[in-house]
Amino acid sequence: MSAALSVDGLEKAFGGVRAVDGVTFDVASGELVALIGPNGAGKSTCFNLINGQLAPDAGRVTLGGEDVTGRPARALARLGVGRTFQVAATFASMTVRENVALALASHAGAATSLLAAGLARFDAAADALLDRVGARELAGRHGATLAYGDVKRVEIALALANAPRLLLMDEPTAGMAPRERGTLMQVAADLARRDAIAVLFTEHDMDVVFGHADRVIVLDRGRIIAQGSPDAIRADPRVREAYLGTDSAG
Ligand SMILES: Nc1ncnc2c1ncn2[C@@H]1O[C@H](COP(=O)(O)OP(=O)(O)O)[C@@H](O)[C@H]1O
Ligand SMILES: [Mg+2]
């Protein structure tokens, strides 16, 4: 069976900076892979090449065996690439349930999705999704009233509304308290395994990385310098030198 995601020889330069310089890896369905590396290593650029925000200079992106290199983000979303994102401006004035219902309606292609009457059809499904991320109790709250950690859980629910095969999370726990980070990643890990979603995430908190990733890929200056199990990566001298030995968190 083909991997949920394969990237092969991915390259992207900005002017003279080789942000991503020949990156090759796979993520299997149901697998949680952490992409780590110092500030400027190329993690976000990798994500943007995979989700269609950027087109690569060279290399291939394959989803479930289908070459999707260079397709725009919208097309990739339809093919099952989900991502967590900065909360949209409309979010604050709507309830959490309405936000998730809107995402579900949009996925279903419902044309009248902006009308409350049309949205209500998706309420039960929205509540079920919120249940899955442990945020059912937030359903009636307005976005503006949510604590930061709650927003992050709702973002995962919004990404799941698109029924992704691959979920990309660039620093999903940034700004969260340490205890909340573990909880959020546990939610993502449980979902990935239960629904066989491939998850690729970046994360600065090494406790979260080593506690939740099935596999860790280490980038440094656009290149993969190591990949393996959390235990193998923790013990790898190149990784310690390039990354763990420093306190740069970028
Ligand atoms: N849009 C851009 N224009 C110019 N340079 C960029 C752009 N995006 C990223 N870079 C550069 O590419 C390198 C990798 O950045 P990035 O992928 O954001 O790293 P990370 O997410 O690992 O911190 C850095 O040197 C960064 O300055
Ligand atoms: Mg980044």
Side-chain angles (χ1 to χ4, degrees):
M1 200 184 115
S2 28
L5 169 70
S6 294
V7 301
D8 186 10
L10 223 45
E11 292 181 19
K12 182 73 185 178
F14 298 106
V17 178
R18 296 183 158 200
V20 172
D21 192 9
V23 165
T24 298
F25 65 86
D26 288 351
V27 183
S29 295
E31 188 183 29
L32 256 86
V33 175
L35 187 63
I36 69 170
N39 196 12
K43 304 180 297 293
S44 291
T45 304
C46 267
F47 273 72
N48 290 333
L49 292 170
I50 294 166
N51 70 34
Q53 292 274 108
L54 291 172
D57 298 332
R60 253 199 335 257
V61 178
T62 310
L63 289 178
E66 183 180 357
D67 187 342
V68 297
T69 312
R71 296 212 200 154
R74 256 170 184 287
L76 292 181
R78 276 195 299 272
L79 287 173
V81 178
R83 51 196 284 239
T84 55
F85 46 87
Q86 293 302 107
V87 177
T90 51
F91 181 75
S93 62
M94 294 163 59
T95 67
V96 167
R97 179 183 292 116
E98 285 167 341
N99 273 276
V100 176
L102 184 61
L104 286 165
S106 161
H107 178 61
T112 58
S113 61
L114 282 166
L115 298 171
L119 266 193
R121 284 192 289 133
F122 294 92
D123 279 357
D127 285 354
L129 244 182
L130 286 166
D131 239 346
R132 286 170 66 202
V133 301
R136 174 70 180 81
E137 81 281 3
L138 302 176
R141 299 258 306 272
H142 283 81
T145 70
L146 298 181
Y148 192 71
D150 292 337
V151 171
K152 292 298 194 175
R153 279 188 293 162
V154 173
E155 279 187 28
I156 294 183
L158 292 170
L160 290 174
N162 195 41
R165 293 186 281 163
L166 169 68
L167 181 57
L168 303 168
M169 300 195 293
D170 193 353
E171 304 193 29
T173 72
M176 292 176 85
R179 269 192 55 191
E180 281 188 317
R181 288 180 199 158
T183 308
L184 187 84
M185 283 315 300
Q186 190 60 54
V187 164
D190 291 346
L191 285 167
R193 286 169 193 138
R194 195 171 67 193
D195 295 350
I197 301 169
V199 177
L200 182 67
F201 70 103
T202 60
E203 172 62 53
H204 292 307
D205 183 324
M206 287 303 120
D207 290 336
V208 173
V209 170
F210 294 131
H212 294 283
D214 297 312
R215 194 151 50 87
V216 182
I217 298 173
V218 187
L219 269 188
D220 189 27
R221 285 172 245 177
R223 291 169 177 263
I224 293 179
I225 59 165
Q227 61 176 309
S229 68
D231 284 347
I233 292 300
R234 209 190 325 238
D236 190 315
R238 287 166 304 175
V239 176
R240 302 187 78 88
E241 189 185 328
Y243 187 46
L244 300 175
T246 77
D247 59 3
S248 91

mmCIF file with all atom_site columns, all heavy atoms in Angstrom, residues 18-19 21 36-43 217-226 238 241-243:
data_model
loop_
_atom_site.group_PDB
_atom_site.id
_atom_site.type_symbol
_atom_site.label_atom_id
_atom_site.label_alt_id
_atom_site.label_comp_id
_atom_site.label_asym_id
_atom_site.label_entity_id
_atom_site.label_seq_id
_atom_site.pdbx_PDB_ins_code
_atom_site.Cartn_x
_atom_site.Cartn_y
_atom_site.Cartn_z
_atom_site.occupancy
_atom_site.B_iso_or_equiv
_atom_site.pdbx_formal_charge
_atom_site.auth_seq_id
_atom_site.auth_comp_id
_atom_site.auth_asym_id
_atom_site.auth_atom_id
_atom_site.pdbx_PDB_model_num
ATOM 1   N N   . ARG A 1 18  ? 18.478 28.284 0.471  1.00 0.00 ? 18  ARG A N   1
ATOM 2   C CA  . ARG A 1 18  ? 17.890 26.982 0.187  1.00 0.00 ? 18  ARG A CA  1
ATOM 3   C C   . ARG A 1 18  ? 17.078 26.534 1.393  1.00 0.00 ? 18  ARG A C   1
ATOM 4   O O   . ARG A 1 18  ? 17.581 25.828 2.269  1.00 0.00 ? 18  ARG A O   1
ATOM 5   C CB  . ARG A 1 18  ? 18.985 25.978 -0.118 1.00 0.00 ? 18  ARG A CB  1
ATOM 6   C CG  . ARG A 1 18  ? 19.745 26.354 -1.364 1.00 0.00 ? 18  ARG A CG  1
ATOM 7   C CD  . ARG A 1 18  ? 20.775 25.321 -1.696 1.00 0.00 ? 18  ARG A CD  1
ATOM 8   N NE  . ARG A 1 18  ? 21.127 25.413 -3.094 1.00 0.00 ? 18  ARG A NE  1
ATOM 9   C CZ  . ARG A 1 18  ? 21.706 24.433 -3.769 1.00 0.00 ? 18  ARG A CZ  1
ATOM 10  N NH1 . ARG A 1 18  ? 21.993 23.295 -3.164 1.00 0.00 ? 18  ARG A NH1 1
ATOM 11  N NH2 . ARG A 1 18  ? 21.995 24.589 -5.034 1.00 0.00 ? 18  ARG A NH2 1
ATOM 12  N N   . ALA A 1 19  ? 15.835 26.970 1.433  1.00 0.00 ? 19  ALA A N   1
ATOM 13  C CA  . ALA A 1 19  ? 14.997 26.721 2.614  1.00 0.00 ? 19  ALA A CA  1
ATOM 14  C C   . ALA A 1 19  ? 14.716 25.233 2.772  1.00 0.00 ? 19  ALA A C   1
ATOM 15  O O   . ALA A 1 19  ? 14.727 24.698 3.877  1.00 0.00 ? 19  ALA A O   1
ATOM 16  C CB  . ALA A 1 19  ? 13.695 27.502 2.498  1.00 0.00 ? 19  ALA A CB  1
ATOM 17  N N   . ASP A 1 21  ? 15.987 21.622 0.904  1.00 0.00 ? 21  ASP A N   1
ATOM 18  C CA  . ASP A 1 21  ? 17.103 21.282 0.021  1.00 0.00 ? 21  ASP A CA  1
ATOM 19  C C   . ASP A 1 21  ? 17.239 19.767 -0.166 1.00 0.00 ? 21  ASP A C   1
ATOM 20  O O   . ASP A 1 21  ? 18.171 19.147 0.328  1.00 0.00 ? 21  ASP A O   1
ATOM 21  C CB  . ASP A 1 21  ? 18.377 21.877 0.635  1.00 0.00 ? 21  ASP A CB  1
ATOM 22  C CG  . ASP A 1 21  ? 19.563 21.839 -0.319 1.00 0.00 ? 21  ASP A CG  1
ATOM 23  O OD1 . ASP A 1 21  ? 19.364 21.511 -1.502 1.00 0.00 ? 21  ASP A OD1 1
ATOM 24  O OD2 . ASP A 1 21  ? 20.680 22.118 0.137  1.00 0.00 ? 21  ASP A OD2 1
ATOM 25  N N   . ILE A 1 36  ? 11.108 18.268 13.285 1.00 0.00 ? 36  ILE A N   1
ATOM 26  C CA  . ILE A 1 36  ? 11.721 19.222 14.213 1.00 0.00 ? 36  ILE A CA  1
ATOM 27  C C   . ILE A 1 36  ? 12.998 19.789 13.610 1.00 0.00 ? 36  ILE A C   1
ATOM 28  O O   . ILE A 1 36  ? 13.486 19.315 12.579 1.00 0.00 ? 36  ILE A O   1
ATOM 29  C CB  . ILE A 1 36  ? 12.021 18.575 15.593 1.00 0.00 ? 36  ILE A CB  1
ATOM 30  C CG1 . ILE A 1 36  ? 13.151 17.540 15.526 1.00 0.00 ? 36  ILE A CG1 1
ATOM 31  C CG2 . ILE A 1 36  ? 10.759 17.952 16.178 1.00 0.00 ? 36  ILE A CG2 1
ATOM 32  C CD1 . ILE A 1 36  ? 13.643 17.045 16.895 1.00 0.00 ? 36  ILE A CD1 1
ATOM 33  N N   . GLY A 1 37  ? 13.525 20.811 14.249 1.00 0.00 ? 37  GLY A N   1
ATOM 34  C CA  . GLY A 1 37  ? 14.750 21.439 13.782 1.00 0.00 ? 37  GLY A CA  1
ATOM 35  C C   . GLY A 1 37  ? 14.805 22.864 14.274 1.00 0.00 ? 37  GLY A C   1
ATOM 36  O O   . GLY A 1 37  ? 13.777 23.435 14.624 1.00 0.00 ? 37  GLY A O   1
ATOM 37  N N   . PRO A 1 38  ? 15.986 23.441 14.274 1.00 0.00 ? 38  PRO A N   1
ATOM 38  C CA  . PRO A 1 38  ? 16.137 24.798 14.785 1.00 0.00 ? 38  PRO A CA  1
ATOM 39  C C   . PRO A 1 38  ? 15.365 25.823 13.957 1.00 0.00 ? 38  PRO A C   1
ATOM 40  O O   . PRO A 1 38  ? 14.930 25.534 12.837 1.00 0.00 ? 38  PRO A O   1
ATOM 41  C CB  . PRO A 1 38  ? 17.645 25.073 14.715 1.00 0.00 ? 38  PRO A CB  1
ATOM 42  C CG  . PRO A 1 38  ? 18.265 23.929 14.021 1.00 0.00 ? 38  PRO A CG  1
ATOM 43  C CD  . PRO A 1 38  ? 17.249 22.859 13.827 1.00 0.00 ? 38  PRO A CD  1
ATOM 44  N N   . ASN A 1 39  ? 15.223 26.994 14.497 1.00 0.00 ? 39  ASN A N   1
ATOM 45  C CA  . ASN A 1 39  ? 14.572 28.110 13.809 1.00 0.00 ? 39  ASN A CA  1
ATOM 46  C C   . ASN A 1 39  ? 15.203 28.308 12.430 1.00 0.00 ? 39  ASN A C   1
ATOM 47  O O   . ASN A 1 39  ? 16.421 28.329 12.314 1.00 0.00 ? 39  ASN A O   1
ATOM 48  C CB  . ASN A 1 39  ? 14.753 29.368 14.674 1.00 0.00 ? 39  ASN A CB  1
ATOM 49  C CG  . ASN A 1 39  ? 13.805 30.471 14.262 1.00 0.00 ? 39  ASN A CG  1
ATOM 50  O OD1 . ASN A 1 39  ? 12.877 30.238 13.486 1.00 0.00 ? 39  ASN A OD1 1
ATOM 51  N ND2 . ASN A 1 39  ? 14.038 31.657 14.763 1.00 0.00 ? 39  ASN A ND2 1
ATOM 52  N N   . GLY A 1 40  ? 14.375 28.398 11.392 1.00 0.00 ? 40  GLY A N   1
ATOM 53  C CA  . GLY A 1 40  ? 14.892 28.604 10.046 1.00 0.00 ? 40  GLY A CA  1
ATOM 54  C C   . GLY A 1 40  ? 15.320 27.320 9.346  1.00 0.00 ? 40  GLY A C   1
ATOM 55  O O   . GLY A 1 40  ? 15.832 27.370 8.221  1.00 0.00 ? 40  GLY A O   1
ATOM 56  N N   . ALA A 1 41  ? 15.078 26.167 9.955  1.00 0.00 ? 41  ALA A N   1
ATOM 57  C CA  . ALA A 1 41  ? 15.518 24.893 9.368  1.00 0.00 ? 41  ALA A CA  1
ATOM 58  C C   . ALA A 1 41  ? 14.752 24.545 8.098  1.00 0.00 ? 41  ALA A C   1
ATOM 59  O O   . ALA A 1 41  ? 15.227 23.756 7.279  1.00 0.00 ? 41  ALA A O   1
ATOM 60  C CB  . ALA A 1 41  ? 15.363 23.768 10.392 1.00 0.00 ? 41  ALA A CB  1
ATOM 61  N N   . GLY A 1 42  ? 13.550 25.124 7.929  1.00 0.00 ? 42  GLY A N   1
ATOM 62  C CA  . GLY A 1 42  ? 12.761 24.820 6.735  1.00 0.00 ? 42  GLY A CA  1
ATOM 63  C C   . GLY A 1 42  ? 11.474 24.069 7.018  1.00 0.00 ? 42  GLY A C   1
ATOM 64  O O   . GLY A 1 42  ? 10.809 23.610 6.085  1.00 0.00 ? 42  GLY A O   1
ATOM 65  N N   . LYS A 1 43  ? 11.092 23.975 8.274  1.00 0.00 ? 43  LYS A N   1
ATOM 66  C CA  . LYS A 1 43  ? 9.904  23.202 8.643  1.00 0.00 ? 43  LYS A CA  1
ATOM 67  C C   . LYS A 1 43  ? 8.636  23.803 8.025  1.00 0.00 ? 43  LYS A C   1
ATOM 68  O O   . LYS A 1 43  ? 7.866  23.098 7.370  1.00 0.00 ? 43  LYS A O   1
ATOM 69  C CB  . LYS A 1 43  ? 9.761  23.147 10.181 1.00 0.00 ? 43  LYS A CB  1
ATOM 70  C CG  . LYS A 1 43  ? 10.987 22.593 10.893 1.00 0.00 ? 43  LYS A CG  1
ATOM 71  C CD  . LYS A 1 43  ? 10.803 22.565 12.401 1.00 0.00 ? 43  LYS A CD  1
ATOM 72  C CE  . LYS A 1 43  ? 10.627 23.928 13.061 1.00 0.00 ? 43  LYS A CE  1
ATOM 73  N NZ  . LYS A 1 43  ? 11.846 24.781 12.985 1.00 0.00 ? 43  LYS A NZ  1
ATOM 74  N N   . ILE A 1 217 ? 11.553 13.368 12.463 1.00 0.00 ? 217 ILE A N   1
ATOM 75  C CA  . ILE A 1 217 ? 12.434 13.741 11.359 1.00 0.00 ? 217 ILE A CA  1
ATOM 76  C C   . ILE A 1 217 ? 13.095 15.052 11.749 1.00 0.00 ? 217 ILE A C   1
ATOM 77  O O   . ILE A 1 217 ? 12.400 15.992 12.166 1.00 0.00 ? 217 ILE A O   1
ATOM 78  C CB  . ILE A 1 217 ? 11.642 13.910 10.053 1.00 0.00 ? 217 ILE A CB  1
ATOM 79  C CG1 . ILE A 1 217 ? 10.983 12.583 9.665  1.00 0.00 ? 217 ILE A CG1 1
ATOM 80  C CG2 . ILE A 1 217 ? 12.538 14.431 8.927  1.00 0.00 ? 217 ILE A CG2 1
ATOM 81  C CD1 . ILE A 1 217 ? 10.040 12.688 8.477  1.00 0.00 ? 217 ILE A CD1 1
ATOM 82  N N   . VAL A 1 218 ? 14.420 15.109 11.628 1.00 0.00 ? 218 VAL A N   1
ATOM 83  C CA  . VAL A 1 218 ? 15.139 16.311 12.056 1.00 0.00 ? 218 VAL A CA  1
ATOM 84  C C   . VAL A 1 218 ? 15.682 17.038 10.833 1.00 0.00 ? 218 VAL A C   1
ATOM 85  O O   . VAL A 1 218 ? 16.449 16.478 10.043 1.00 0.00 ? 218 VAL A O   1
ATOM 86  C CB  . VAL A 1 218 ? 16.317 15.967 12.998 1.00 0.00 ? 218 VAL A CB  1
ATOM 87  C CG1 . VAL A 1 218 ? 16.920 17.255 13.558 1.00 0.00 ? 218 VAL A CG1 1
ATOM 88  C CG2 . VAL A 1 218 ? 15.853 15.052 14.120 1.00 0.00 ? 218 VAL A CG2 1
ATOM 89  N N   . LEU A 1 219 ? 15.260 18.292 10.694 1.00 0.00 ? 219 LEU A N   1
ATOM 90  C CA  . LEU A 1 219 ? 15.731 19.149 9.609  1.00 0.00 ? 219 LEU A CA  1
ATOM 91  C C   . LEU A 1 219 ? 16.773 20.117 10.158 1.00 0.00 ? 219 LEU A C   1
ATOM 92  O O   . LEU A 1 219 ? 16.647 20.614 11.272 1.00 0.00 ? 219 LEU A O   1
ATOM 93  C CB  . LEU A 1 219 ? 14.583 20.003 9.075  1.00 0.00 ? 219 LEU A CB  1
ATOM 94  C CG  . LEU A 1 219 ? 13.696 19.564 7.934  1.00 0.00 ? 219 LEU A CG  1
ATOM 95  C CD1 . LEU A 1 219 ? 12.796 20.733 7.556  1.00 0.00 ? 219 LEU A CD1 1
ATOM 96  C CD2 . LEU A 1 219 ? 14.486 19.108 6.731  1.00 0.00 ? 219 LEU A CD2 1
ATOM 97  N N   . ASP A 1 220 ? 17.771 20.401 9.342  1.00 0.00 ? 220 ASP A N   1
ATOM 98  C CA  . ASP A 1 220 ? 18.728 21.450 9.675  1.00 0.00 ? 220 ASP A CA  1
ATOM 99  C C   . ASP A 1 220 ? 19.160 22.080 8.357  1.00 0.00 ? 220 ASP A C   1
ATOM 100 O O   . ASP A 1 220 ? 19.615 21.383 7.455  1.00 0.00 ? 220 ASP A O   1
ATOM 101 C CB  . ASP A 1 220 ? 19.920 20.849 10.437 1.00 0.00 ? 220 ASP A CB  1
ATOM 102 C CG  . ASP A 1 220 ? 20.841 21.941 10.988 1.00 0.00 ? 220 ASP A CG  1
ATOM 103 O OD1 . ASP A 1 220 ? 20.364 23.062 11.237 1.00 0.00 ? 220 ASP A OD1 1
ATOM 104 O OD2 . ASP A 1 220 ? 22.049 21.654 11.175 1.00 0.00 ? 220 ASP A OD2 1
ATOM 105 N N   . ARG A 1 221 ? 18.951 23.368 8.236  1.00 0.00 ? 221 ARG A N   1
ATOM 106 C CA  . ARG A 1 221 ? 19.292 24.110 7.022  1.00 0.00 ? 221 ARG A CA  1
ATOM 107 C C   . ARG A 1 221 ? 18.754 23.444 5.766  1.00 0.00 ? 221 ARG A C   1
ATOM 108 O O   . ARG A 1 221 ? 19.468 23.242 4.778  1.00 0.00 ? 221 ARG A O   1
ATOM 109 C CB  . ARG A 1 221 ? 20.803 24.281 6.922  1.00 0.00 ? 221 ARG A CB  1
ATOM 110 C CG  . ARG A 1 221 ? 21.297 25.351 7.896  1.00 0.00 ? 221 ARG A CG  1
ATOM 111 C CD  . ARG A 1 221 ? 22.779 25.413 7.953  1.00 0.00 ? 221 ARG A CD  1
ATOM 112 N NE  . ARG A 1 221 ? 23.260 25.033 9.268  1.00 0.00 ? 221 ARG A NE  1
ATOM 113 C CZ  . ARG A 1 221 ? 24.537 24.931 9.596  1.00 0.00 ? 221 ARG A CZ  1
ATOM 114 N NH1 . ARG A 1 221 ? 25.472 25.146 8.695  1.00 0.00 ? 221 ARG A NH1 1
ATOM 115 N NH2 . ARG A 1 221 ? 24.880 24.596 10.800 1.00 0.00 ? 221 ARG A NH2 1
ATOM 116 N N   . GLY A 1 222 ? 17.493 23.048 5.841  1.00 0.00 ? 222 GLY A N   1
ATOM 117 C CA  . GLY A 1 222 ? 16.811 22.529 4.670  1.00 0.00 ? 222 GLY A CA  1
ATOM 118 C C   . GLY A 1 222 ? 17.038 21.065 4.355  1.00 0.00 ? 222 GLY A C   1
ATOM 119 O O   . GLY A 1 222 ? 16.457 20.534 3.419  1.00 0.00 ? 222 GLY A O   1
ATOM 120 N N   . ARG A 1 223 ? 17.905 20.408 5.162  1.00 0.00 ? 223 ARG A N   1
ATOM 121 C CA  . ARG A 1 223 ? 18.185 18.995 4.896  1.00 0.00 ? 223 ARG A CA  1
ATOM 122 C C   . ARG A 1 223 ? 17.806 18.124 6.087  1.00 0.00 ? 223 ARG A C   1
ATOM 123 O O   . ARG A 1 223 ? 17.911 18.576 7.231  1.00 0.00 ? 223 ARG A O   1
ATOM 124 C CB  . ARG A 1 223 ? 19.675 18.791 4.622  1.00 0.00 ? 223 ARG A CB  1
ATOM 125 C CG  . ARG A 1 223 ? 20.144 19.397 3.317  1.00 0.00 ? 223 ARG A CG  1
ATOM 126 C CD  . ARG A 1 223 ? 21.663 19.397 3.259  1.00 0.00 ? 223 ARG A CD  1
ATOM 127 N NE  . ARG A 1 223 ? 22.102 19.905 1.972  1.00 0.00 ? 223 ARG A NE  1
ATOM 128 C CZ  . ARG A 1 223 ? 22.435 19.120 0.949  1.00 0.00 ? 223 ARG A CZ  1
ATOM 129 N NH1 . ARG A 1 223 ? 22.414 17.807 1.073  1.00 0.00 ? 223 ARG A NH1 1
ATOM 130 N NH2 . ARG A 1 223 ? 22.805 19.666 -0.199 1.00 0.00 ? 223 ARG A NH2 1
ATOM 131 N N   . ILE A 1 224 ? 17.425 16.887 5.790  1.00 0.00 ? 224 ILE A N   1
ATOM 132 C CA  . ILE A 1 224 ? 17.159 15.942 6.868  1.00 0.00 ? 224 ILE A CA  1
ATOM 133 C C   . ILE A 1 224 ? 18.499 15.424 7.385  1.00 0.00 ? 224 ILE A C   1
ATOM 134 O O   . ILE A 1 224 ? 19.291 14.863 6.621  1.00 0.00 ? 224 ILE A O   1
ATOM 135 C CB  . ILE A 1 224 ? 16.285 14.769 6.367  1.00 0.00 ? 224 ILE A CB  1
ATOM 136 C CG1 . ILE A 1 224 ? 14.891 15.287 5.997  1.00 0.00 ? 224 ILE A CG1 1
ATOM 137 C CG2 . ILE A 1 224 ? 16.200 13.680 7.438  1.00 0.00 ? 224 ILE A CG2 1
ATOM 138 C CD1 . ILE A 1 224 ? 13.948 14.219 5.456  1.00 0.00 ? 224 ILE A CD1 1
ATOM 139 N N   . ILE A 1 225 ? 18.750 15.637 8.676  1.00 0.00 ? 225 ILE A N   1
ATOM 140 C CA  . ILE A 1 225 ? 20.011 15.143 9.238  1.00 0.00 ? 225 ILE A CA  1
ATOM 141 C C   . ILE A 1 225 ? 19.813 13.853 10.026 1.00 0.00 ? 225 ILE A C   1
ATOM 142 O O   . ILE A 1 225 ? 20.781 13.154 10.310 1.00 0.00 ? 225 ILE A O   1
ATOM 143 C CB  . ILE A 1 225 ? 20.717 16.202 10.112 1.00 0.00 ? 225 ILE A CB  1
ATOM 144 C CG1 . ILE A 1 225 ? 19.828 16.636 11.274 1.00 0.00 ? 225 ILE A CG1 1
ATOM 145 C CG2 . ILE A 1 225 ? 21.145 17.408 9.260  1.00 0.00 ? 225 ILE A CG2 1
ATOM 146 C CD1 . ILE A 1 225 ? 20.604 17.402 12.350 1.00 0.00 ? 225 ILE A CD1 1
ATOM 147 N N   . ALA A 1 226 ? 18.586 13.521 10.364 1.00 0.00 ? 226 ALA A N   1
ATOM 148 C CA  . ALA A 1 226 ? 18.329 12.262 11.060 1.00 0.00 ? 226 ALA A CA  1
ATOM 149 C C   . ALA A 1 226 ? 16.845 11.976 11.017 1.00 0.00 ? 226 ALA A C   1
ATOM 150 O O   . ALA A 1 226 ? 16.029 12.896 10.951 1.00 0.00 ? 226 ALA A O   1
ATOM 151 C CB  . ALA A 1 226 ? 18.784 12.350 12.522 1.00 0.00 ? 226 ALA A CB  1
ATOM 152 N N   . ARG A 1 238 ? 24.355 13.723 16.266 1.00 0.00 ? 238 ARG A N   1
ATOM 153 C CA  . ARG A 1 238 ? 24.204 14.817 15.291 1.00 0.00 ? 238 ARG A CA  1
ATOM 154 C C   . ARG A 1 238 ? 23.031 15.704 15.662 1.00 0.00 ? 238 ARG A C   1
ATOM 155 O O   . ARG A 1 238 ? 23.054 16.916 15.484 1.00 0.00 ? 238 ARG A O   1
ATOM 156 C CB  . ARG A 1 238 ? 23.962 14.239 13.887 1.00 0.00 ? 238 ARG A CB  1
ATOM 157 C CG  . ARG A 1 238 ? 25.172 13.624 13.238 1.00 0.00 ? 238 ARG A CG  1
ATOM 158 C CD  . ARG A 1 238 ? 24.743 12.806 12.036 1.00 0.00 ? 238 ARG A CD  1
ATOM 159 N NE  . ARG A 1 238 ? 23.745 11.790 12.427 1.00 0.00 ? 238 ARG A NE  1
ATOM 160 C CZ  . ARG A 1 238 ? 23.108 10.995 11.601 1.00 0.00 ? 238 ARG A CZ  1
ATOM 161 N NH1 . ARG A 1 238 ? 23.319 11.078 10.318 1.00 0.00 ? 238 ARG A NH1 1
ATOM 162 N NH2 . ARG A 1 238 ? 22.234 10.110 12.047 1.00 0.00 ? 238 ARG A NH2 1
ATOM 163 N N   . GLU A 1 241 ? 23.847 17.846 18.626 1.00 0.00 ? 241 GLU A N   1
ATOM 164 C CA  . GLU A 1 241 ? 24.720 18.953 18.244 1.00 0.00 ? 241 GLU A CA  1
ATOM 165 C C   . GLU A 1 241 ? 23.931 20.041 17.506 1.00 0.00 ? 241 GLU A C   1
ATOM 166 O O   . GLU A 1 241 ? 24.056 21.235 17.807 1.00 0.00 ? 241 GLU A O   1
ATOM 167 C CB  . GLU A 1 241 ? 25.839 18.416 17.351 1.00 0.00 ? 241 GLU A CB  1
ATOM 168 C CG  . GLU A 1 241 ? 26.921 19.433 17.069 1.00 0.00 ? 241 GLU A CG  1
ATOM 169 C CD  . GLU A 1 241 ? 27.930 18.871 16.090 1.00 0.00 ? 241 GLU A CD  1
ATOM 170 O OE1 . GLU A 1 241 ? 28.169 17.635 16.113 1.00 0.00 ? 241 GLU A OE1 1
ATOM 171 O OE2 . GLU A 1 241 ? 28.453 19.661 15.284 1.00 0.00 ? 241 GLU A OE2 1
ATOM 172 N N   . ALA A 1 242 ? 23.135 19.616 16.539 1.00 0.00 ? 242 ALA A N   1
ATOM 173 C CA  . ALA A 1 242 ? 22.453 20.594 15.685 1.00 0.00 ? 242 ALA A CA  1
ATOM 174 C C   . ALA A 1 242 ? 21.281 21.259 16.391 1.00 0.00 ? 242 ALA A C   1
ATOM 175 O O   . ALA A 1 242 ? 20.908 22.373 16.059 1.00 0.00 ? 242 ALA A O   1
ATOM 176 C CB  . ALA A 1 242 ? 21.939 19.920 14.413 1.00 0.00 ? 242 ALA A CB  1
ATOM 177 N N   . TYR A 1 243 ? 20.714 20.575 17.358 1.00 0.00 ? 243 TYR A N   1
ATOM 178 C CA  . TYR A 1 243 ? 19.418 21.043 17.810 1.00 0.00 ? 243 TYR A CA  1
ATOM 179 C C   . TYR A 1 243 ? 19.248 20.973 19.310 1.00 0.00 ? 243 TYR A C   1
ATOM 180 O O   . TYR A 1 243 ? 19.125 21.982 19.993 1.00 0.00 ? 243 TYR A O   1
ATOM 181 C CB  . TYR A 1 243 ? 18.344 20.214 17.115 1.00 0.00 ? 243 TYR A CB  1
ATOM 182 C CG  . TYR A 1 243 ? 16.954 20.714 17.371 1.00 0.00 ? 243 TYR A CG  1
ATOM 183 C CD1 . TYR A 1 243 ? 16.638 22.074 17.269 1.00 0.00 ? 243 TYR A CD1 1
ATOM 184 C CD2 . TYR A 1 243 ? 15.938 19.839 17.720 1.00 0.00 ? 243 TYR A CD2 1
ATOM 185 C CE1 . TYR A 1 243 ? 15.359 22.528 17.500 1.00 0.00 ? 243 TYR A CE1 1
ATOM 186 C CE2 . TYR A 1 243 ? 14.652 20.290 17.948 1.00 0.00 ? 243 TYR A CE2 1
ATOM 187 C CZ  . TYR A 1 243 ? 14.365 21.624 17.844 1.00 0.00 ? 243 TYR A CZ  1
ATOM 188 O OH  . TYR A 1 243 ? 13.103 22.070 18.070 1.00 0.00 ? 243 TYR A OH  1
#
